[in-house]
Amino acid sequence: AQYYPTEKRKKKVDTSISIVDNVGNLIKSIDTKQADLASTMEDLRNERAARNYKMLELFNAQGFKLSEEDVLKYKPGYGMDTIGRVHFARALVEKAYCGDLQTALRDYVSDTSRVYVPRERISAQKAIELIHKAGGYAFLAHGFRSFSEAEADALYATLDTLREFGLDGVECYHGRQTVHQTELLLRYCEQHELLVSGGSDFHGEYKPDVHLATMAYGLKLPIALLKKLNKEIEDKKSKLL
């Protein structure tokens, strides 16, 4: 599983959990039905649904005529516990309240908009404990989205704290990171014997500048990375037997 640092202005380490379902041994090792993890995820889903209904109320109070059906249209077969800000944005464009998706995301559902309601977060320590209880591995995802390159020392301090909680690895390769940022994270992982992961963070039309399996600045995600990651995880598991 990977988790994502909240905005640095909050001055504390919070997380949200995202189960990774397509990375070899990472998912093979995790039990998504483990009682504590399943209970926490259910609580977070219920909270997310309540938050989305509150956002609908706020939109309508501001004069936007949006319904549950309007946003669920963009995630057929799912409920309000799975809806994110992109679905609200698409509904706004569809109903001609906004001209394009990127403008809707920026102007209407950003963290500073009048209708945005933050999601509940759990602590980094609890997130890592839950991931480990379920047999998974905890990675920090796209650290340089929350810290600038000039704030690398602050990112390292965050990683130091997370290592105390049992952090297993870091997403060193990311679709919007520079070569130097990637090198900084790789160096940190080597120094502290952390696992390395990576991904383009492709989200289709929601991030038109990010392409599938493609890094920025000509970087390429080595296929050897996944093989090495799987081997290191297998080695780590064998040492625990």
Side-chain angles (χ1 to χ4, degrees):
Q2 299 200 57
Y3 53 152
Y4 306 82
T6 55
E7 294 177 54
K8 53 183 180 291
R9 68 171 181 266
K10 296 184 179 178
K11 304 301 182 184
K12 62 181 180 179
V13 180
D14 285 343
T15 69
S16 61
I17 294 178
S18 174
I19 301 301
V20 179
D21 60 3
N22 60 350
V23 189
N25 286 324
L26 287 178
I27 192 61
K28 291 178 183 176
S29 66
I30 199 165
D31 177 12
T32 57
K33 296 182 180 179
Q34 195 276 333
D36 293 333
L37 177 62
S39 175
T40 300
M41 296 300 286
E42 180 65 20
D43 289 344
L44 290 173
R45 282 192 292 269
N46 290 336
E47 184 277 333
R48 188 185 187 110
R51 166 257 205 173
N52 285 333
Y53 284 118
K54 178 62 177 176
M55 285 184 64
L56 276 179
E57 290 179 12
L58 292 173
F59 267 117
N60 282 279
Q62 293 289 328
F64 298 89
K65 294 182 179 180
L66 286 183
S67 68
E68 181 177 348
E69 291 73 23
D70 288 331
V71 292
L72 287 176
K73 173 182 178 180
Y74 298 102
K75 202 162 186 183
Y78 291 88
M80 290 295 282
D81 59 338
T82 66
I83 294 299
R85 67 180 85 194
V86 296
H87 304 102
F88 283 100
R90 292 189 69 177
L92 289 169
V93 173
E94 172 71 19
K95 295 178 76 71
Y97 288 120
C98 188
D100 62 85
L101 185 63
Q102 295 305 314
T103 301
L105 287 168
R106 184 188 68 242
D107 295 345
Y108 292 91
V109 292
S110 67
D111 291 355
T112 57
S113 74
R114 288 178 291 179
V115 300
Y116 182 70
V117 179
R119 286 166 49 197
E120 181 179 322
R121 305 285 176 172
I122 63 174
S123 72
Q125 186 170 10
K126 182 177 181 181
I128 293 173
E129 288 175 355
L130 288 169
I131 291 167
H132 287 170
K133 276 186 178 181
Y137 293 81
F139 285 72
L140 179 76
H142 38 65
F144 276 109
R145 190 174 75 177
S146 298
F147 297 90
S148 69
E149 195 168 306
E151 297 169 316
D153 286 343
L155 174 56
Y156 297 154
T158 297
L159 287 167
D160 289 342
T161 299
L162 296 176
R163 284 194 298 113
E164 292 177 5
F165 298 153
L167 182 73
D168 296 296
V170 177
E171 182 188 50
C172 295
Y173 293 88
H174 181 259
R176 286 177 169 169
Q177 276 182 185
T178 67
V179 175
H180 189 232
Q181 288 170 343
T182 301
E183 291 173 345
L184 290 174
L185 290 174
L186 286 170
R187 191 177 307 138
Y188 183 93
C189 287
E190 182 178 3
Q191 290 172 346
H192 299 284
E193 298 183 336
L194 293 173
L195 299 174
V196 173
S197 71
S200 61
D201 202 17
F202 175 71
H203 282 258
E205 65 180 303
Y206 307 130
K207 293 185 179 180
D209 59 322
V210 177
H211 303 287
L212 183 64
T214 302
M215 305 292 110
Y217 304 98
L219 277 173
K220 295 187 181 297
L221 185 62
I223 189 63
L225 175 65
L226 180 57
K227 294 179 180 179
K228 182 178 179 181
L229 179 60
N230 284 339
K231 182 179 186 303
E232 289 182 357
I233 290 175
E234 287 296 339
D235 291 345
K236 185 175 181 179
K237 286 165 62 177
S238 65
K239 291 177 183 177
L240 297 176
L241 296 178

